[in-house]
Amino acid sequence: MWILLVLLYGLIKGAREVIKKKALISSTVMEVLIVYTALAFVIILPDSKNAMGINPSFLFWIAIKSFVIFLAWLFGFKAIDKMPISIYGVLDLSRVLFSTLLGLAVLKEVLSVYQIAGLLLVCLGLFMLNRTRKMSSNKAEGVETVYVVLAILSCLLNALSGLMDKILMKSVTSSQLQYWYMLFLLLFYMLYIFIAKAKIRWKSAFKNGWIWLMSFLFIIADRALFIANGMEGSKVTVMTLIKQSGCLVAILAGKFLFKEKNIAYKLLCAAVILTGIMIGVI
C-alpha cells in the first residue's frame, strides 16, 4: 500500500511540474508561491480539528521543515521558470542521490546490491543529461548555470524535507504535520514578501486557474506521502526512487505542450535513471 501511495505522489508530482510552468506564464514566481500556498492551506482548514493536541516540542521541528520547503520551492520555482520543463524534470531526479545519502547517514538504512547498482545508473543518467545543454543549438534550450544550481539545491532541500517527514511521522499524525507545516510555510512567504517588498498582483494571481489546480493536487499528493511515511516498513531510500516516476510526465509535456527540443535524448537520460530506480526497488 505504501508503494502505491508513493507512486500516486510521484505521478501527481510530475503533473504539478507541468502546471507550475503553465502558471508562471501569467504570474511571477512569488505570486504563484504565495497564492498556491494560501489556497492549499485553505483547502486543509476543515481538517484542522484533527491537527490539534500536538506536542509543542514538535512544532519547532515542523517549523524547520517548513523553512526547508520555503527555500526549496523558492529555488525550484525560479529554476523551472527559466529552463525547459523536460530538463528540469530529469534534473529533479538528482534528489534520489541526496535522499539515499541522507537515509544512509541519518537513518542508518542499508543498501542492497541492487540499490547500489540502481544508484550508479542514476548517476550515469544525470551525467548524460549534462550534455543536453552542449548539444542544443536552440537558444531557448540554453540554461544558465545559476538555474541548474538552484534546481539542484531545491532537490537537496526536498530530500532533507523527505527525511524529516519520515522522522516526524513517528510521533505526529499526517493531519498534524500537513496543517502545521502549511501554516508555517504561509507565514514564511508572507514574511518574505513584507521584507523584500515584493509586488503581488493579487487579483490576477487568484484568477490563474493553474494555481488552483496545483493547490488541489499538492494537498492530495502530500497526504498520500505522509500516510506512506507513517506506515511500518516504508524506507526513505525506496520511497525516493518511486517518487521519481513522475519525471516522464514532465519530459513528455515538454515535447507535446511546450514544443521543446532534444526530447529523445532526454528520454534516454530518464530511461537510464528510471532503469536504476526499478533495479533499486526490485
Side-chain angles (χ1 to χ4, degrees):
M1 180 58 70
W2 65 263
I3 289 177
L4 291 176
L5 287 171
V6 178
L7 181 60
L8 173 64
Y9 170 88
L11 295 176
I12 292 179
K13 176 179 171 293
R16 275 186 12 231
E17 304 302 348
V18 179
I19 296 169
K20 287 176 189 177
K21 191 75 173 177
K22 286 286 190 178
L24 288 167
I25 293 175
S26 56
S27 300
T28 66
V29 168
M30 192 48 61
E31 286 171 350
V32 173
L33 279 172
I34 186 63
V35 175
Y36 170 40
T37 308
L39 287 174
F41 181 68
V42 169
I43 292 170
I44 65 170
L45 275 180
D47 194 38
S48 60
K49 60 182 182 298
N50 296 319
M52 300 300 113
I54 188 172
N55 189 316
S57 63
F58 290 113
L59 290 178
F60 170 78
W61 292 109
I62 293 176
I64 296 297
K65 170 195 162 57
S66 296
F67 186 71
V68 169
I69 287 294
F70 160 75
L71 293 176
W73 285 7
L74 188 61
F75 295 160
F77 272 71
K78 285 184 179 295
I80 204 171
D81 188 37
K82 299 295 183 179
M83 67 170 58
I85 185 67
S86 52
I87 291 181
Y88 183 87
V90 185
L91 268 178
D92 192 57
L93 295 174
S94 64
R95 70 173 69 187
V96 171
L97 299 175
F98 298 127
S99 289
T100 301
L101 292 175
L102 288 170
L104 293 171
V106 180
L107 300 181
K108 307 303 180 183
E109 294 184 351
V110 179
L111 290 181
S112 67
V113 174
Y114 290 107
Q115 287 172 319
I116 293 173
L119 283 175
L120 290 176
L121 284 174
V122 169
C123 292
L124 175 61
L126 291 171
F127 177 77
M128 291 168 58
L129 180 67
N130 189 50
R131 291 188 57 212
T132 302
R133 291 190 297 165
K134 300 175 182 178
M135 292 169 56
S136 179
S137 59
N138 183 356
K139 187 176 180 180
E141 287 274 304
V143 181
E144 294 181 27
T145 302
V146 63
Y147 297 113
V148 174
V149 172
L150 286 177
I152 293 176
L153 283 174
S154 176
C155 291
L156 172 59
L157 291 168
N158 274 299
L160 178 58
S161 173
L163 174 66
M164 295 185 73
D165 287 344
K166 182 64 178 175
I167 296 173
L168 286 167
M169 282 303 298
K170 294 178 181 179
S171 306
V172 301
T173 67
S174 58
S175 294
Q176 289 172 331
L177 180 56
Q178 191 168 46
Y179 174 84
W180 290 105
Y181 117 76
M182 287 300 301
L183 175 60
F184 285 127
L185 187 61
L186 182 59
L187 293 175
F188 283 134
Y189 282 118
M190 291 175 66
L191 184 62
Y192 177 89
I193 289 172
F194 176 76
I195 294 175
K197 297 180 180 179
K199 184 179 179 182
I200 305 296
R201 298 168 299 171
W202 295 101
K203 187 175 181 180
S204 63
F206 272 104
K207 288 183 177 180
N208 190 332
W210 293 109
I211 301 179
W212 285 79
L213 178 57
M214 189 165 52
S215 300
F216 280 105
L217 290 178
F218 167 70
I219 294 302
I220 295 170
D222 257 26
R223 181 57 61 92
L225 184 61
F226 291 155
I227 293 173
N229 268 303
M231 288 184 170
E232 186 178 353
S234 61
K235 294 180 66 177
V236 168
T237 47
V238 178
M239 290 175 71
T240 303
L241 295 173
I242 301 173
K243 286 178 189 177
Q244 309 316 312
S245 57
C247 77
L248 290 178
V249 178
I251 296 173
L252 293 175
K255 169 67 175 178
F256 296 108
L257 295 181
F258 300 102
K259 310 302 180 184
E260 294 172 3
K261 306 298 181 182
N262 295 325
I263 294 299
Y265 184 78
K266 294 167 191 173
L267 280 172
L268 175 61
C269 297
V272 172
I273 296 172
L274 289 174
T275 300
I277 289 173
M278 287 187 287
I279 290 174
V281 171
I282 292 171

